[in-house]
Every structure is written in structure tokens, then in C-alpha cells.
Amino acid sequence: PPSTTSRDDAEVPHALRIAAAWSWRLIVIGLVAWALLRIVGTIRIVIIPLAIALLLSALLAPAVGWLLRVRFPRSLATGVVLVGGLAAVVGTLTLVVNEFIKGVPELSEKSSQGVRQIQEWLKTGPLHVSDSQLDRYIEEGQKWVSENTGRFTDAATTISGTVAEVVTGLLLVLFATFFFLRDGSRIWRFLVRLLPVAARWRVDDAGRAAWGTLVAYVRATVLVAFIDAVGIGIFLVVFDIPFAFPLAALVFLGAFIPIVGAALSGGVAVLVALVDSGPVTALIILGVVIGVQQVEGHVLQPLIMGRAVAIHPLAVIIGIAAGVVLAGITGALVAVPLIAVLNTAIRRLAARTVPATPPDAVVVASQTP
């Protein structure tokens, strides 16, 4: 056959040759992917801050654009938006920490009461646990803590050793966000010019579409997270649950990790309600958290995000799991927007339509001799 180059190839079944061709190509792709992951892992202290800076740029870009439309200089507009956003974050963290410090003594006392109630329920409830069994369980717990004290100490040492990396990452996030907001278009045009001429327009079109998806995703996520935090926070205030504002802030931050984050942060609110006000109030807060999650998943997400950033839930779960394995909490944070951006870019690159001609393009026609 024309596809074979020797008699040996002619003797090999066609299906086996196709399988072998697929196999070595998949092996090459796997090796390249493995090498890229190793490179990313080596320079993660640079990659992770740049990814966070891109998310922040997508969030703050509309504000910079509004200031530019009212004739602010580009550098001044970027600086005002960045400083304003930083001030909002620092102010919110200050309020959260102050309220947490103020409410810790009361919560500690109620936690002790809750532990005693649980012990009493274990003895008088359906389990009928004896005092000797309770003492044995407590001793086993204390033994486990004493045996793992070394691990906790090592973890604390590791955390203190990474303070320098965290500070470096924060500084890089601030600088990268500033320049992404101010010079993002010029940086993108420079990168596009590195490509072959025939591919520039299509890549530029796919990149701008992907950026639009990222902006839509971040803005929609912030809006959904705000609605979740307000909805749960109102019920926490109504039932006089301590740390209402910090818990609402935790729900807001957790909503940036789809499906998983909001559920975990809501679980923390349920535990605090259980310790402070008992099981009945905790069940009510649990119902509120579940109700808010249902409204988010079936109403807010489809309505606000729309079809532009629609991703199958299975892809979301797999992306979050892979992100946690590769980069921890930060990986879970950037996994879903990365999937949304790649989905838009690949779809646009695979489309058969020709991108629209830029308005400033110059077309030079040649005359036939």
C-alpha cells in the first residue's frame, strides 16, 4: 500500500500500524507534558503569582477602562485602581481579624460547654458509651497528638521557612498586576509578533476571545460569591452566630473555588453554629447553606456566567483535583479559569471562520504583470 515504506511494513496489520503510530505520538506528548510540569514546578514561585496577577487584572480591567474613558492618564488610572483594591482588601482583613480576636474567648467557653454536652449525649444517648470507654478514647486522642507533635512542629517550621517566598510572591503579584493593567495590550501584541505571520491573526483572535472569557468568569464569580456571602451572612446575623462577618468573608473567598470551596466554607459556619447555639440552629444554618448552593448552581451560575464560560461539572471537578495535587489551594483557585480560557481559545482556533480584519490593518494588493 502507498502508506508502507518496506515489505516489513506491508506484513504488519493495518490496525497495528495505526495503534503504533498513535502510541509513539502519545508518548511524545506525555513526555512534553511531563517536562512542562517539571518546569512549572521548578519556577512555581514565579508562575503562581503571575497567574494570580492575571486573575486580578481581569477583575480590575473594567475599572481601569472606565477611568481611561474619563481622560485619566493610563499610569494614573492603573495606580488608582490598584491602590484602591489593595486598600479594600487590607481593610476587610483588618475587620475580620479584629472581630475574630474579640470573639475568641466567648467561643472557647462555649466550645467547652459543647464538648461536655457531647460527652453527656454519648453516655445518655442511643450509643450508651461508658465512662471507661470515654476515658480510653480521650487517652487515645491525647496519645495521637503527642505522637504527631513532631509533625506539627515540622509543618510550622516549613511554614515559617516559606514566609520569604510568600512576601516575594505578593510583591510580584502587585508589580505584575500593575503592568498587566497598564501595558497588557502591548505585551500581547509583542507576543503575537513572535509567531509566524500566517498564524498571527488567528492566535490574536483566539487570545482576545480567551481574555474576554476570563474577564467574564472573574466578574461573574465575584458577583456570585458576593451574593452567597450576603445570603449566608444575613442568616448568621439573624441567629446571632459569632464571627458572622468573618464567616461571610470566608464564604466569599471559598466561592472562588467552584463546587468545593463554598461547601467547605459553609460547613465551617455550620460547625460554629453547632458549638455556639446547638444542633437545631446548626441544622437551620445547614439548610440555608444548601439552599444558597442550590440557588447558585441552578440560577446564578447559568444566568450570570451565561454560555460563554459554561463548563461541564465533571471538567470542573477534575480540574480542581488536578490543581490541588499540582499546586495546592492556589492550583484549585486557578484551575477552573484556566480550563475556561483554554476551552474558549481552542474552540476559536478550531473554528473554520476567518477572524475579522482589524480596523487598523493595511492590505497591500499586488498587480499582475
Side-chain angles (χ1 to χ4, degrees):
S3 61
T4 59
T5 58
S6 67
R7 293 186 63 86
D8 293 338
D9 291 336
E11 297 297 330
V12 178
H14 178 72
L16 183 58
R17 284 189 280 112
I18 295 299
W22 273 98
S23 297
W24 73 259
R25 287 174 172 86
L26 289 176
I27 290 173
V28 172
I29 293 174
L31 290 175
V32 172
W34 176 81
L36 288 176
L37 289 177
R38 291 296 300 269
I39 294 173
V40 170
T42 304
I43 59 174
R44 64 183 182 277
I45 193 175
V46 176
I47 298 296
I48 292 176
L50 289 180
I52 296 175
L54 277 176
L55 294 176
L56 293 176
S57 300
L59 175 63
L60 300 176
V64 175
W66 181 81
L67 291 179
L68 292 176
R69 286 192 292 272
V70 296
R71 304 299 177 85
F72 268 65
R74 181 172 292 274
S75 297
L76 179 60
T78 304
V80 168
V81 171
L82 192 59
V83 171
L86 187 62
V89 172
V90 171
T92 302
L93 290 177
T94 303
L95 291 175
V96 169
V97 171
N98 289 338
E99 186 171 346
F100 182 78
I101 293 174
K102 184 170 57 178
V104 162
E106 180 183 358
L107 187 63
S108 299
E109 181 181 354
K110 291 186 177 180
S111 299
S112 302
Q113 297 175 0
V115 171
R116 289 194 294 268
Q117 291 176 359
I118 292 174
Q119 291 177 348
E120 188 66 24
W121 178 81
L122 289 174
K123 291 188 291 185
T124 60
L127 298 179
H128 297 290
V129 179
S130 63
D131 291 334
S132 60
Q133 289 175 321
L134 278 176
D135 294 337
R136 189 175 75 249
Y137 295 149
I138 293 173
E139 290 178 359
E140 291 178 354
Q142 292 175 346
K143 181 180 178 181
W144 181 87
V145 171
S146 62
E147 290 176 351
N148 291 272
T149 302
R151 295 183 182 179
F152 297 148
T153 305
D154 294 340
T157 304
T158 303
I159 292 173
S160 62
T162 58
V163 170
E165 293 184 4
V166 172
V167 173
T168 303
L170 289 176
L171 292 176
L172 183 56
V173 166
L174 292 176
F175 279 103
T177 303
F178 177 82
F179 288 109
F180 284 161
L181 289 172
R182 195 189 71 170
D183 303 324
S185 297
R186 285 192 290 178
I187 294 173
W188 174 247
R189 287 196 297 268
F190 170 78
L191 294 175
V192 170
R193 290 195 190 99
L194 299 178
L195 301 174
V197 176
R200 289 179 184 174
W201 280 14
R202 187 172 293 276
V203 171
D204 180 71
D205 178 69
R208 294 184 184 278
W211 175 253
T213 297
L214 182 62
V215 172
Y217 173 84
V218 173
R219 293 172 64 181
T221 302
V222 170
L223 181 57
V224 171
F226 179 77
I227 295 174
D228 286 353
V230 170
I232 295 177
I234 288 175
F235 281 91
L236 293 176
V237 172
V238 169
F239 287 93
D240 196 22
I241 304 299
F243 308 128
F245 183 73
L247 290 174
L250 182 63
V251 171
F252 176 81
L253 295 176
F256 283 88
I257 304 176
I259 300 176
V260 179
L264 293 177
S265 58
V268 174
V270 173
L271 289 177
V272 173
L274 177 63
V275 172
D276 179 76
S277 304
V280 176
T281 304
L283 288 175
I284 294 175
I285 298 299
L286 177 61
V288 170
V289 171
I290 294 175
V292 169
Q293 296 303 311
Q294 293 299 315
V295 172
E296 173 193 339
H298 295 88
V299 178
L300 296 179
Q301 292 279 2
L303 181 63
I304 297 176
M305 289 195 176
R307 303 174 65 91
V309 294
I311 307 173
H312 196 277
L314 180 60
V316 173
I317 293 295
I318 293 175
I320 293 174
V324 169
V325 171
L326 296 175
I329 297 177
T330 307
L333 178 66
V334 303
V336 178
L338 179 62
I339 293 174
V341 167
L342 291 177
N343 178 53
T344 300
I346 292 173
R347 285 176 179 271
R348 188 61 68 95
L349 287 173
R352 298 291 183 180
T353 57
V354 178
T357 303
D360 56 348
V362 177
V363 179
V364 179
S366 60
Q367 296 180 354
T368 56

